Amino acid sequence: MIIQRPRYMEKLIRGMGSGQVKIVTGVRRCGKSFLLFDLFKSHLVGQGVPESNIFEMAFDRFSSRKYRNPEVFYPYLAERLGDVAGARYVLLDEVQLLGDFAEVLIDLIAMEGVDVYVTGSNAKLLSKDVVTEFRGRGQEIAMAPLSFSEFMSAYDGGKYDGYQEYATYGGLPGIFTRETPEEKADYLNSLYKEVYLRDIVERNVVRDSGNLEELVDVLSSAIGSLTNASKLAATFKSRKGARMAPETVERYLSFLEDSFLLRRAKRYDVKGRRYIGTPFKFYFADLGLRNARMNFRQMKETHIMENVVYNELVGRGLGVDVGVVPVSTKDEDGKSRRVQLEIDFVCNRGSKRYYVQSAFALPTSEKRDQEQRPLLKVDDGFKKVIVTKEGLEPHYNENGILMMNVYDFLLNQDSLDF
């Protein structure tokens, strides 16, 4: 079964003929090559574009190794493009392996009738160049592993079993080619060691890969927890009996983020309308990789669901921060003191904003009050949402908060606007 990726196809199609380089970025094996060489190419052919007008090259293949030299690749491509008339489409995979790729791409989009689409797996090499060297001539399309709705389009079963599978083994498309739990676990472990870790170590010349792996373990066991480089260094020392300087921790975190394995969520003071420096929260782009790293232990559903909700919000193109709401309260002695309430996610897109709580269960009135309190302390008119594991169909409670279960939230792209 072919898994459709409508979120990303829509962006590619919308960018056709824009004069910009369309750059699809994301973690390795999330489906970037399939998106470009299968789904998008099929769209082009379906629109009547002759295959002779579509040029493809994957720079991570051995057969393309010599073309990583721009002095070899550019003349070769220019000659090929000159042999055909009309609109021409250039599809390049893992373009960060091409030397001086930014200069090559800028020259290509200057050619009349040439539309350029590329993929890449490293944020430092690509995002920085989109902003600086391309200066408005590059459009970045950040691609993630399968969303739950995309996963369910290929999953042979119901949404409840599908969610458990998704929360356990993640959304890398290759999971569908493995049948047993053992095969899926082996696939994820092999990817982590042979692809992601090796790529980070080689690209960044990491001398002690063991410490990098140990740091991933620490982060894996504390997803969605507030932390920073100093706290992680202290945890590393107490748990592993070894010292890692906070500066080294921060450098390793940047490596993991640049490889799209981790995402960092900043804290935002909702009332003060400002960002708070530290601590942060970290979420995994794919939970299957995180769970495999933990040997499928420490599967606390509350944290897993929070990570799933975060990934879905980011996948919908929202800017997502961790919300902080300062309030005054009184202690047991009646003295006033300031405390900070937390909203899991403050989500922004254009003029829209949503406040979202991921609450696995609300078994008691005390728990319901705890989840609602920070939302009710926000006095603006933006929508407030609580997502639970189970529950009724989407509805508004007596406080005007939109309540919904995680299945309705994930399976409907417009669920926040119910």
Side-chain angles (χ1 to χ4, degrees), residues 145-146 151 164-173 175-176 188 286-289 291:
L146 299 174
F151 179 90
Q164 292 305 319
E165 186 87 0
Y166 182 73
T168 302
Y169 299 109
L172 294 176
I175 283 294
F176 284 101
L188 291 168
D286 184 77
L287 278 166
L289 293 169
N291 295 338

Side-chain angles (χ1 to χ4, degrees), residues 203-217:
R203 181 187 299 122
N204 300 288
V205 195
V206 176
R207 294 196 180 99
D208 191 344
S209 62
N211 277 351
L212 177 63
E213 291 192 72
E214 296 286 4
L215 178 61
V216 173
D217 290 345

Side-chain angles (χ1 to χ4, degrees), residues 47-249:
Q47 294 296 307
V49 177
E51 291 204 35
S52 59
N53 285 38
I54 304 172
F55 178 86
E56 308 169 58
M57 181 166 288
F59 288 105
D60 60 342
R61 295 178 185 169
F62 182 80
S63 59
S64 302
R65 192 170 182 175
K66 68 178 181 180
Y67 295 109
R68 296 176 191 172
N69 182 343
E71 302 296 336
V72 175
F73 173 71
Y74 187 81
Y76 168 73
L77 177 60
E79 182 178 354
R80 289 282 306 275
L81 294 175
D83 289 340
V84 293
R88 290 147 292 166
Y89 298 86
V90 177
L91 316 181
L92 306 177
D93 195 29
E94 300 296 355
V95 75
Q96 77 276 0
L97 298 175
L98 170 65
D100 298 324
F101 72 88
E103 295 179 43
V104 173
L105 297 180
I106 288 172
D107 208 77
L108 287 175
I109 59 174
M111 295 181 180
E112 186 176 353
V114 174
D115 212 358
V116 182
Y117 303 78
V118 306
T119 78
S121 299
N122 182 260
K124 187 173 290 185
L125 289 173
L126 289 167
S127 299
K128 175 174 64 67
D129 290 308
V130 170
V131 174
T132 57
E133 295 191 49
F134 291 157
R135 301 188 191 284
R137 290 172 285 186
Q139 174 193 353
E140 183 177 10
I141 300 170
M143 189 175 188
L146 299 174
S147 68
F148 182 60
S149 60
E150 291 169 338
F151 179 90
M152 288 304 298
S153 72
Y155 180 73
D156 186 17
K159 62 184 179 182
Y160 301 111
D161 289 339
Y163 178 83
Q164 292 305 319
E165 186 87 0
Y166 182 73
T168 302
Y169 299 109
L172 294 176
I175 283 294
F176 284 101
T177 65
R178 278 74 183 176
E179 295 184 1
T180 68
E182 292 77 18
E183 289 174 337
K184 293 172 184 177
D186 289 345
Y187 169 69
L188 291 168
N189 277 312
S190 176
L191 270 185
Y192 174 78
K193 293 177 182 177
E194 302 301 324
V195 178
Y196 303 122
L197 181 63
R198 178 179 293 182
D199 187 51
I200 291 171
V201 169
E202 291 179 354
R203 181 187 299 122
N204 300 288
V205 195
V206 176
R207 294 196 180 99
D208 191 344
S209 62
N211 277 351
L212 177 63
E213 291 192 72
E214 296 286 4
L215 178 61
V216 173
D217 290 345
V218 171
L219 291 164
S220 296
S221 63
I223 53 174
S225 299
L226 289 170
T227 192
N228 57 28
S230 296
K231 289 180 68 175
L232 287 168
T235 303
F236 187 87
K237 183 177 180 180
S238 63
R239 286 181 48 175
K240 306 299 179 182
R243 184 180 181 278
M244 189 188 301
E247 295 78 13
T248 303
V249 171

Side-chain angles (χ1 to χ4, degrees), residues 1-4 34 152-155:
M1 177 182 290
I2 295 178
I3 304 175
Q4 303 297 326
F34 184 77
M152 288 304 298
S153 72
Y155 180 73

Side-chain angles (χ1 to χ4, degrees), residues 6 13 26 89 102 124 135 145 155 180 202 220 257 260 272 280 294 297 302 304 315 322 365 367 397:
I13 293 169
Y89 298 86
K124 187 173 290 185
R135 301 188 191 284
Y155 180 73
T180 68
E202 291 179 354
S220 296
E257 291 179 83
F260 302 103
F280 311 102
M294 291 281 93
R297 300 189 303 270
T302 53
I304 294 289
V322 176
S365 59
K367 179 62 175 175
N397 71 8

